[in-house]
Amino acid sequence: MSSPKPNRRRRLLQVRTPVSPMQALISSIGIWVVFFGGWIFATSMGWVNPILVPSPAQVFRSIYLLFANDGFASDVLISVGRVLFAFALACLVAVPTGVAMGAFPAIDAVLAPFVSAWRYLPAPSFIPILLMWFGTGEEPKIALLFLGVIFFLITLIADHTKEVRKELIETAMTLGAGRSITVFQVMLPAVLPNILVAMRQMLAVVWTYLVIAEIVASTTGIGAMMMRARRFLHTDQIMGGIIVIGALGLIFDRLFAVLHRRLFPYLQDSR
Amino acid sequence: MATPLMQIDRVSKRFELSGGRTLTAVSDVSFSVEKGSICALLGPSGSGKSTILRMIAGLETLSSGAIRLKGQDIDGPGQDRGMVFQAYTSFDWLSVRKNVEFGMRINGLSARERRERAEHFIDLVGLSNFIDTYPSRLSGGMRQRVAIARTLANAPEVLLMDEPFGALDAETRWQMQELMIEVAGASGTTMVIVTHDIEEAIFLADKIEFLSSHPGRLREEITPDFKPAERIRNKEQLLELGGFAETERKIMRLMREEGRH
Ligand SMILES: Nc1ncnc2c1ncn2[C@@H]1O[C@H](COP(=O)(O)OP(=O)(O)OP(=O)(O)O)[C@@H](O)[C@H]1O
Ligand SMILES: [Mg+2]
C-alpha cells in the first residue's frame, strides 16, 4: 500500500460517512420490525394488560372494522376536510402577508412585532373563547387550526423572502423592473420553493391541532371517534385512529415532496 | 471632441454609520466615459470602486456631485445601465433563453424580437447548445456568460460590471476577458468594469481610473496607449507588446504605495 495512512477497517459509526442503499433499506425496515416484534412479543407473552395494550393484529383488525362497519371513512374525510380547509385558508393569508413583509420593510415594521407576539400564545388557550364565540360547529375547529399555524407560517415565509439575495433584486432593477415586477417575477419565484417547504412543515402542525380540536369539542372526525372509543375502553380503536392519522400525515408529506419535484424541476440538478 | 457618453462629476458618497458617525467612501471623483469605450476602475480594497459603480447603476444615492448619461442626470436604476455582479444572478427558475429574454420581456419587446435578440446574444457568448437548459446545470463561467448576454440583450447604454470574473478560476477568467473584447467589438457597447486584476484592466480597458483608499479618491488616470487602435483579442499578444510591462509596473507601484497608508 502506497498510502501513508493505513486503510482502516470500516466501522459501524463513521462520522458523516454515507451508508449504502442496502444498509439504508435494512436499517429502515429493521427498526419497524423491532418495534412491531417487541409489541407482538409483549402482548402474546401476556406481559401487558390486553385491554390497555391490544396486539397489532387486533389494532389493524379494528381499523378494518371501523371502515367496514362503523362508517369511519366519513370521519376521516371530515378530518381531512377540516385540515385542508383551515390550511388553505392559512396559506391564503400567510403567503401574501409573508411575502409582503419580506419585500417591504415598511410593512414588516408594522406586522413583525404583532405577528411574533402572537406566536408565543399557545393556540389551544383560545379554545374556551372560540367555543363561546362560534358555538360547537365547524367554525371553532377551523379557527383553532388556523390560529395554530398562521403566525408561524407568516414568519417562515417572511424570513425566506428576506433571504432572497440582494443581487437578484438589483439585477432585476437594473434590467428595468419596477416594484411589482421585482416582487412578482423575481422575489416570488425565487422564494416559492421555500414557501412550499414551509407549508409542508406547517401542515404537520395542523394535524396536531386537529386532534386537539376534535377531542375537545366534536362529535365527528378521527379525534371524536377516539374519544368515543375511550368511553368503551376500545384501546384498539384509539390506536387505530393514531395509526390512521400517522398514515394520512405521511401521505400528505409525500404529496408535498412530489409537488415540490414537479413544480421546481430546476432544483433537481443543482446539487 | 464630442461630449462623452457619461460624466461622473465631482461625486462623493458618505455612508451614515451607527452611532452618528459617517464614512466617506468616495470623495470628489470625476471622470468621463466615451461612447463605445471600455473603462476600468482599479484600486485597492475599500477604495470605493463598487460604490462608484453602484451609484452609476442608480442602486446607491450620491451625497454630492452628479452623474450624467447623455447629458441627463441619472435617477435610480434603469435599463439604460445594465449591471453584472460578481455573485451569480441567474434566475434559476427560467431557462437560459428565458433569462436572457427577461429584460426585453419586461420592457415590452415583441416575442419575435425577443427570440431573435436572445438567440443572437446567447450565440455571441457561446451558449447556443445550452439555450434551453436551466442555469443550475451550468458552470460558474457559463452562468456569468448568461448574465452578460442577459444584460447586453437589454441594449443598455452602458454595461457595468463589478469584478464579474472574480469568482472564476484563472483559465476561465482569461477566456472571459477575451470574450468581453469580442463582445465589445460585436456590440459596440460602452463598458465600465471594476477589477482587482491589473492585467485584466490593461487588457480590457481603453482608460483605467486608479483609485486610492480611505477615502476613495481618483489617484491617476492611465491610458494604456501602447495598445493598437484595433483592440487585440489574444491575451498572449498583449503580453508581447512593448509597453505592457512598463504599464503593469507603474500600476503595481501605485498599488504598493496605497498599501503603505
Ligand atoms: N452600504 C454601506 N454602508 C456602510 N459602508 C459601506 C457601504 N458600502 C460600502 N461601504 C464602505 O465604503 C468603502 C468603499 O467600499 P467599496 O465596496 O466601494 O470598495 P471597493 O473598492 O469595491 O472594495 P473591494 O475591492 O474590496 O470590493 C469601504 O470602506 C466600505 O466599508
Ligand atoms: Mg467592490
Side-chain angles (χ1 to χ4, degrees):
Chain A
M1 270 204 274
S2 59
S3 160
K5 251 199 285 176
N7 211 339
R8 280 235 220 115
R9 196 170 58 85
R10 225 198 114 110
R11 292 177 299 190
L12 186 60
L13 298 180
Q14 283 292 63
V15 174
R16 289 272 169 98
T17 307
V19 299
S20 69
M22 196 59 183
Q23 188 185 343
L25 187 70
I26 292 172
S27 303
S28 63
I29 293 175
I31 183 72
W32 287 106
V33 169
V34 170
F35 175 76
F36 280 106
W39 186 0
I40 291 169
F41 193 69
T43 47
S44 60
M45 296 296 284
W47 290 351
V48 288
N49 182 341
I51 292 180
L52 294 181
V53 186
S55 73
Q58 210 180 327
V59 170
F60 283 103
R61 203 170 56 95
S62 78
I63 293 177
Y64 170 76
L65 290 176
L66 276 170
F67 277 107
N69 303 339
D70 298 348
F72 187 46
S74 79
D75 277 316
V76 171
L77 280 181
I78 286 169
S79 290
V80 170
R82 284 171 183 156
V83 165
L84 292 185
F85 184 75
F87 188 63
L89 218 56
C91 292
L92 225 56
V93 176
V95 173
T97 310
V99 171
M101 285 169 72
F104 301 106
I107 295 179
D108 193 53
V110 175
L111 292 182
F114 184 75
V115 169
S116 53
W118 281 91
R119 275 193 305 160
Y120 292 102
L121 302 175
S125 65
F126 289 91
I127 290 176
I129 205 156
L130 290 177
L131 289 174
M132 287 172 69
W133 285 348
F134 297 115
T136 51
E138 288 303 305
E139 295 91 343
K141 300 178 189 71
I142 301 298
L144 178 69
L145 306 199
F146 181 84
L147 281 178
V149 292
I150 184 72
F151 299 110
F152 287 95
L153 204 50
I154 290 176
T155 311
L156 279 173
I157 293 172
D159 286 347
H160 285 309
T161 309
K162 286 174 200 164
E163 280 162 19
V164 172
R165 282 177 28 245
K166 191 173 132 207
E167 289 92 349
L168 229 51
I169 296 163
E170 293 183 338
T171 297
M173 296 189 338
T174 55
L175 286 170
R179 272 183 313 187
S180 74
I181 286 175
T182 305
V183 172
F184 289 107
Q185 299 196 30
V186 177
M187 300 186 78
L188 190 60
V191 78
L192 220 46
N194 285 329
I195 290 182
L196 206 69
V197 171
M199 285 182 180
R200 188 175 166 186
Q201 290 162 346
M202 283 297 121
L203 186 59
V205 178
V206 179
W207 279 100
T208 309
Y209 287 112
L210 172 85
V211 177
I212 295 173
E214 289 184 346
I215 281 178
V216 171
S218 185
T219 52
T220 51
I222 303 173
M225 178 284 287
M226 288 158 73
M227 282 313 272
R228 241 177 294 139
R230 189 189 73 114
R231 282 214 301 275
F232 304 106
L233 301 179
H234 281 312
T235 36
D236 49 347
Q237 292 186 349
I238 297 177
M239 289 188 176
I242 294 172
I243 289 175
V244 168
I245 291 171
L248 287 171
L250 202 65
I251 289 170
F252 280 108
D253 194 66
R254 295 322 303 161
L255 284 178
F256 260 105
V258 170
L259 194 65
H260 200 276
R261 232 175 299 139
R262 282 281 162 80
L263 287 179
F264 314 116
Y266 56 87
L267 292 175
Q268 303 320 312
D269 318 296
S270 55
R271 279 186 298 159
Chain B
M1 207 167 97
T3 56
L5 177 73
M6 186 163 68
Q7 287 167 299
I8 285 76
D9 189 8
R10 310 206 60 176
V11 165
S12 297
K13 177 68 185 180
R14 285 178 297 278
F15 286 109
E16 309 289 332
L17 304 180
S18 58
R21 289 171 305 132
T22 59
L23 182 141
T24 306
V26 176
S27 172
D28 201 22
V29 167
S30 301
F31 63 93
S32 59
V33 181
E34 308 297 329
K35 190 168 169 56
S37 73
I38 303 180
C39 172
L41 301 183
L42 192 65
S45 194
S47 54
K49 305 183 293 293
S50 298
T51 306
I52 293 174
L53 205 70
R54 291 174 58 79
M55 286 191 286
I56 297 174
L59 297 170
E60 210 79 75
T61 56
L62 319 191
S63 299
S64 64
I67 297 177
R68 281 183 290 273
L69 184 68
K70 289 173 143 180
Q72 295 276 320
D73 275 12
I74 58 134
D75 178 24
Q79 66 172 119
D80 51 354
R81 286 150 291 134
M83 179 118 162
V84 174
F85 296 82
Q86 175 174 0
Y88 302 137
T89 53
S90 20
F91 300 142
D92 287 341
W93 56 94
L94 300 175
S95 66
V96 169
R97 179 199 296 275
K98 290 274 154 65
N99 260 278
V100 175
E101 285 190 7
F102 185 91
M104 297 186 277
R105 186 165 53 76
I106 64 176
N107 291 312
L109 265 71
S110 73
R112 218 189 86 217
E113 212 170 342
R114 274 178 353 227
R115 199 182 55 238
E116 279 169 10
R117 284 183 68 83
E119 283 170 6
H120 169 74
F121 284 101
I122 290 169
D123 185 46
L124 186 62
V125 298
L127 287 179
S128 293
N129 289 335
F130 298 91
I131 191 162
D132 291 315
T133 310
Y134 284 118
S136 54
R137 284 200 179 175
L138 303 179
S139 69
M142 287 155 96
R143 284 196 198 195
Q144 282 310 65
R145 288 168 197 248
V146 176
I148 290 164
R150 181 177 57 190
T151 315
L152 286 173
N154 205 31
E157 294 286 348
V158 205
L159 172 61
L160 308 168
M161 296 185 280
D162 194 350
E163 301 190 40
F165 316 132
L168 306 179
D169 59 86
E171 188 194 347
T172 313
R173 195 181 314 159
W174 62 251
Q175 284 172 353
M176 294 296 290
Q177 291 162 0
E178 292 183 350
L179 176 74
M180 288 323 293
I181 294 283
E182 204 182 311
V183 165
S187 64
T189 308
T190 312
M191 302 183 185
V192 180
I193 180 167
V194 165
T195 179
H196 265 130
D197 182 338
I198 299 174
E199 246 177 46
E200 180 170 283
I202 301 175
F203 181 52
L204 292 178
D206 304 312
K207 200 167 66 173
I208 300 169
E209 310 295 340
F210 189 93
L211 296 144
S212 61
S213 52
H214 306 300
R217 282 181 202 283
L218 190 60
R219 169 84 192 263
E220 199 159 333
E221 195 168 85
I222 299 148
T223 315
D225 43 16
F226 67 90
K227 295 200 290 185
E230 173 97 5
R231 289 193 185 112
I232 39 177
R233 287 159 173 265
N234 284 65
K235 224 173 160 190
E236 298 94 296
Q237 276 178 24
L238 173 82
L239 305 183
E240 285 158 12
L241 282 178
F244 168 75
E246 194 188 321
T247 309
E248 185 172 32
R249 215 160 30 231
K250 177 176 168 188
I251 297 174
M252 282 179 80
R253 260 191 225 116
L254 285 172
M255 280 275 190
R256 200 185 292 280
E257 279 169 32
E258 282 303 319
R260 279 203 207 104
H261 297 325

